[in-house]
Amino acid sequence: MKIDVIASGSAGNCYKISNEDTTLLIECGIPYKKIQKALNFKTTDIDGVLVSHEHGDHSKACKDLIKAGVNLYMTKGTKEALKLDSHRVKNFEESNDKTYRWFEIGSLKIKPFKSIHDAREPANFYIVNKRTDERLLFITDTMYVEGRFNAVDYLMIEVNYVRETINQNENIHPELRTRIKWNHMSLETAIDFLKKCNLSRLKKIYVLHLSDSNSDAELIKNKLQELTGVAIEIC
C-alpha cells in the first residue's frame, strides 16, 4: 500500500492511497487545480474519494471532482451539509447497530467509523488492501476514538495539539481553546488510544493536522517513536 501526503493541516487536507490497481483520495480540502497537479493531471486514475466531513479544509474540491466524473464517498449527514445532489456521491450504509457497513472500491475494503467533531455526521476510515491484507487506519478531526484496533500496518492520525502547549498559549481565545479540545485530538489522547491497540504489525505513523501554535512537532515525534518504535512522519 502506497501513501502520499498531498496536503495536511488547517489550510487543507488531501492524501493519496494506492495499491497495484486501486487509487483513492482521502479528503479533498484543497483547490482542485492543486489536486490535479499532485496527480500529474491524471484525475481519471482516481477510483474514489473518501470525505470525512463537510468542513472546507476536508471537502473544498468536492464539486469540481464531481464535475470531473469522480465518485465521492461520505456519510448522509456530510452530503446534506455540503448540499451535494449527484449520482457521483455515495453514502455509507448503516448497520442495525448504527455502525457503518464495510464496502469496497476496487481491491480496497473500507470500514467507516464515527468520529467526535463539530460536524453533521463525521467519520474516519479503516482500510484493508485485499491483495496483501495490509491495513491502514485513518483518524482525523476527532476528540477521541472509541474502541480499539487489533491489526494496523499504517496509521495516519491527527495530533493537533499538546495539552501543556495549548494551556500555556496566552494568545488563544478561551472559547477557541475549548473548541479545539472538544473537537481535535491531543498528543496525550493519541498515546492513550495507541496503548489500547495491538501495534505488533505497525510499520509507520503519519502525524496529521498539527496546529501551528499549539503543537510541538519534535516532542510529538519523540513521544510516538518512544511508544511504538516505528518510523514517524510529521505531515
Side-chain angles (χ1 to χ4, degrees):
M1 189 181 291
K2 190 171 186 296
I3 298 168
D4 295 299
V5 177
I6 298 173
S8 180
S10 56
N13 298 271
C14 187
Y15 312 93
K16 186 175 80 166
I17 313 299
S18 57
N19 65 5
E20 297 89 337
D21 60 20
T22 304
T23 300
L24 301 181
L25 292 183
I26 304 180
E27 315 289 41
C28 56
I30 58 176
Y32 179 60
K33 288 184 178 180
K34 289 188 176 181
I35 294 176
Q36 286 181 302
K37 187 175 180 181
L39 300 175
N40 293 317
F41 298 92
K42 297 179 180 178
T43 50
T44 54
D45 290 348
I46 299 300
D47 296 294
V49 181
L50 306 178
V51 180
S52 66
H53 63 289
E54 68 268 20
H55 293 163
D57 57 329
H58 297 262
S59 67
K60 186 179 184 73
C62 279
K63 291 181 179 178
D64 288 317
L65 286 162
I66 290 170
K67 289 177 184 176
V70 179
N71 289 337
L72 309 183
Y73 299 80
M74 62 189 70
T75 64
K76 181 181 178 183
T78 298
K79 178 183 178 181
E80 291 172 349
L82 288 169
K83 299 179 180 178
L84 298 176
D85 183 17
S86 169
H87 70 282
R88 291 288 179 189
V89 182
K90 317 294 183 182
N91 292 153
F92 306 144
E93 292 185 19
E94 281 197 357
S95 302
N96 293 333
D97 60 358
K98 299 300 181 183
T99 61
Y100 300 111
R101 298 182 188 275
W102 285 92
F103 68 97
E104 298 183 6
I105 302 175
S107 58
L108 296 176
K109 286 179 62 178
I110 300 109
K111 172 73 168 176
F113 57 95
K114 295 180 180 181
S115 57
I116 313 300
H117 193 61
D118 60 348
R120 182 82 64 88
E121 190 184 349
N124 282 310
F125 313 108
Y126 186 49
I127 301 172
V128 179
N129 182 351
K130 293 197 298 179
R131 292 184 172 276
T132 62
D133 196 46
E134 288 177 301
R135 292 162 186 254
L136 165 66
L137 180 60
F138 178 88
I139 297 168
T140 192
D141 287 45
T142 188
M143 183 182 182
Y144 59 86
V145 179
E146 295 179 340
R148 65 193 296 270
F149 290 81
N150 291 319
V152 179
D153 295 286
Y154 302 100
L155 173 64
M156 303 178 74
I157 186 168
E158 171 190 56
V159 183
N160 184 261
Y161 67 96
V162 177
R163 284 178 189 161
E164 184 177 2
T165 305
I166 196 172
N167 288 338
Q168 292 178 354
N169 184 356
E170 297 178 354
N171 297 318
I172 188 172
H173 193 281
E175 288 184 8
L176 177 57
R177 180 186 287 114
T178 299
R179 180 190 173 274
I180 290 170
K181 288 183 175 182
W182 280 90
N183 290 280
H184 292 278
M185 188 176 289
S186 68
L187 170 63
E188 294 78 9
T189 299
I191 288 172
D192 288 343
F193 167 68
L194 290 175
K195 286 179 177 178
K196 294 191 300 181
C197 297
N198 182 345
L199 304 179
S200 59
R201 290 174 47 160
L202 190 62
K203 298 179 179 72
K204 186 172 182 178
I205 297 176
Y206 297 80
V207 183
L208 315 177
H209 217 311
L210 274 71
S211 165
D212 291 334
S213 55
N214 299 311
S215 64
D216 182 330
E218 186 175 355
L219 174 66
I220 290 168
K221 183 174 183 178
N222 290 340
K223 288 289 187 181
L224 293 179
Q225 213 152 37
E226 181 182 317
L227 175 66
T228 65
V230 303
I232 311 292
E233 181 174 333
I234 304 293
C235 302

